[in-house]
Amino acid sequence: MNSSDLNKLHIDHIGSLVRPAKLKEAFARHDRKQAPDQDLKKAQDDAICEVIQKQEEQGLPVVTDGEFRRHNFQESFSECVTGFDVPKDVSRYYEKRNVNENPLERAEQDFDEAGPAIVTRRGTVERLKLVRNLPLEEFRFAQTVATAPVKVTVLGPDRIAQRFKWEISLSVYQGLDDFVDHVVQIERQIIAELVNAGCKYIQIDAPGYTAYVDKISLQRMRSRGEDPEQNFQRSIEADNALIDGFSGVTFGIHICRGNARTIDPKTGKLVPQWHREGSYDAIAEKLFNSLKHHRILLEYDSERAGGFEPLRLVPKDKIIVLGLVSTKNSGMESVDDLKRRMDQASKFLPLDQLALSPQCGFGGIDSKVLSENEMWQKLATIVRTAEQIWR
């Protein structure tokens, strides 16, 4: 499948998948220093082989390795560089981190606590240095297993900048402009090596663009002496610079409001939380028309995303992937419901420019995730719906 065909896909998913129990245990034992690196790698290899096979059996036209080599999606950058001021042993952070677990509420976290870079807001002790290309390692292995094209996810500069404690790092970087310019240089090397290895579909993870429509996030930027509009413009320019000049590659960009979730004590079911809220209206025209990515993957599974009206602003050369299927709710969407919502969206953007996906990744930092069976049911529903819409 060439890049032109990849651009037109009507089925997608975000990247991370639910980890099988054996892999969860392997991570836990490794994090506690109870198992060597090779044991974890063997568990990862086995799990990735199995999950790629299952994706292909489901009829997914593009597959991922489930992000099974990462604790968290943000490690696609943080594990590749040195220079952040982080504790010596950050792996135990995931066991003890303190977050709001109230169902159907905004999930707040202390970004200033001592934890991994980008997951928490960290400064730098020296200029960042690329020491590893984790996305390349992931792609090379997955490519040996898959018969379908393999998509790789890379964290975007916007999220990296939002989680950079620039105000205590001015002896290292002159400010956010200097820092983001350097991040782009580093990430272009990561991407160049992926492209040279044959990767045809790269998704930039940029969940933080919804911060520019979220009142609390905007207040926090201003309290740090930042101009949100300047941050927004800088991020768009950085994302465009990131992908400039890589011909023959499909670039997607994923935008959401946070993938937090918890268990409802009344029902025992998985229910949503979120980190940001607000419709796309205030940023849609600039976002859709300024970003040069081929596919924009948008969260659209709840009222917090607003309506489909902003889709009227999408230019004719882009595909919008609608994240209508929740990864944060045990409730099962039906084919009829998804077809109805796609029909609503098509009133603002032609079906040829639309695609269907989950709203975010199925994996996550915490153990509160859908079961594997629930995940596969949801992916199967997406495939069946797409087959009926785009016959």
Side-chain angles (χ1 to χ4, degrees):
M1 190 179 292
N2 60 38
S3 61
S4 178
D5 293 331
L6 289 168
N7 291 354
K8 298 173 183 176
L9 289 176
H10 294 298
I11 300 171
D12 218 326
H13 70 83
I14 305 307
S16 70
L17 298 169
V18 176
R19 289 179 185 169
K22 285 184 179 179
L23 182 57
K24 288 181 183 178
E25 177 58 26
F27 264 103
R29 293 183 68 245
H30 184 265
D31 289 347
R32 297 185 189 115
K33 314 297 183 187
Q34 296 170 350
D37 293 349
Q38 59 264 33
D39 284 8
L40 176 59
K41 184 179 185 303
K42 175 66 164 56
Q44 291 168 335
D45 289 352
D46 291 347
I48 289 166
C49 289
E50 184 175 341
V51 84
I52 286 177
Q53 180 182 350
K54 286 185 176 179
Q55 288 172 80
E56 293 184 345
E57 289 171 352
Q58 286 262 356
L60 294 170
V62 171
V63 301
T64 75
D65 72 347
E67 298 179 2
F68 283 174
R69 300 199 190 277
R70 312 178 191 178
H71 285 91
N72 171 260
F73 74 102
Q74 294 162 137
E75 288 188 348
S76 63
F77 185 76
S78 64
E79 284 294 298
C80 295
V81 298
T82 58
F84 281 112
D85 181 17
V86 295
K88 288 184 178 180
D89 184 7
V90 298
S91 59
R92 300 300 293 273
Y93 164 84
Y94 297 103
E95 294 183 9
K96 60 182 178 61
R97 75 191 198 111
N98 185 27
V99 294
N100 167 29
E101 295 196 353
N102 294 327
L104 303 176
E105 285 189 8
R106 186 182 184 106
E108 293 291 1
Q109 131 186 24
D110 180 4
F111 292 111
D112 290 322
E113 67 182 316
I118 306 173
V119 174
T120 55
R121 196 165 172 265
R122 309 304 300 168
T124 50
V125 294
E126 60 185 3
R127 290 182 75 84
L128 301 182
K129 181 180 179 182
L130 182 66
V131 294
R132 179 187 182 190
N133 190 337
L134 176 59
L136 178 63
E137 295 170 22
E138 295 169 331
F139 174 73
R140 281 179 169 160
F141 182 82
Q143 190 181 35
T144 67
V145 177
T147 58
V150 175
K151 175 168 82 169
V152 173
T153 61
V154 176
L155 189 63
D158 178 73
R159 166 49 60 87
I160 298 168
Q162 287 184 14
R163 300 286 173 81
F164 171 51
K165 211 166 192 175
W166 59 268
E167 63 272 26
I168 66 168
S169 307
L170 294 174
S171 62
V172 179
Y173 287 99
Q174 296 175 22
L176 279 170
D177 288 343
D178 183 25
F179 177 75
V180 171
D181 286 347
H182 192 209
V183 166
V184 169
Q185 291 175 27
I186 292 171
E187 293 206 296
R188 278 185 61 82
Q189 185 174 341
I190 290 173
I191 290 170
E193 291 175 1
L194 277 167
V195 173
N196 289 339
C199 188
K200 296 295 185 185
Y201 187 0
I202 299 172
Q203 174 186 296
I204 306 302
D205 285 327
Y209 272 113
T210 53
Y212 305 111
V213 299
D214 177 69
K215 290 181 180 179
I216 293 175
S217 299
L218 292 170
Q219 289 169 358
R220 287 172 177 163
M221 289 183 206
R222 295 185 181 108
S223 72
R224 297 194 295 262
E226 300 169 17
D227 178 350
E229 182 59 36
Q230 185 179 351
N231 285 357
F232 184 37
Q233 181 63 35
R234 182 195 299 110
S235 291
I236 288 175
E237 291 173 359
D239 270 311
N240 286 337
L242 204 63
I243 68 173
D244 184 49
F246 294 109
S247 60
V249 180
T250 291
F251 283 100
I253 187 164
H254 169 57
I255 297 165
C256 74
R257 289 161 185 75
N259 206 21
R261 53 220 162 178
T262 192
I263 302 297
D264 187 340
K266 295 179 180 177
T267 65
K269 298 286 189 179
L270 191 76
V271 291
Q273 295 176 305
W274 55 91
H275 295 305
R276 297 167 299 281
E277 51 192 307
S279 72
Y280 297 103
D281 296 74
I283 59 173
E285 185 168 11
K286 190 169 188 177
L287 196 72
F288 297 158
N289 289 277
S290 298
L291 288 174
K292 296 180 180 179
H293 303 64
H294 308 97
R295 299 167 71 80
I296 302 178
L297 297 92
L298 297 176
E299 175 189 287
Y300 253 117
D301 70 322
S302 77
E303 69 281 355
R304 286 177 296 282
F308 294 124
E309 289 81 2
L311 300 182
R312 73 189 188 281
L313 303 169
V314 175
K316 293 182 179 180
D317 62 343
K318 286 185 172 56
I319 298 291
I320 296 295
V321 184
L322 297 180
L324 300 179
V325 174
S326 177
T327 66
K328 304 191 290 186
N329 195 323
S330 296
M332 289 293 157
E333 297 82 0
S334 72
V335 170
D336 287 344
D337 285 343
L338 294 178
K339 287 171 68 176
R340 177 180 54 80
R341 294 206 69 200
M342 291 298 301
D343 184 60
Q344 292 171 347
S346 70
K347 292 177 170 57
F348 302 98
L349 190 65
L351 277 173
D352 283 350
Q353 283 184 258
L354 291 171
L356 179 61
S357 79
Q359 122 276 345
C360 200
F362 284 98
I365 295 178
D366 301 311
S367 60
K368 298 177 183 66
V369 294
L370 293 167
S371 70
E372 288 183 85
N373 285 339
E374 288 171 328
M375 175 186 72
W376 293 119
Q377 280 184 256
K378 285 177 178 268
L379 288 171
T381 300
I382 288 172
V383 172
R384 289 200 306 273
T385 303
E387 287 173 347
Q388 292 187 29
I389 294 174
W390 295 281
R391 295 178 184 178

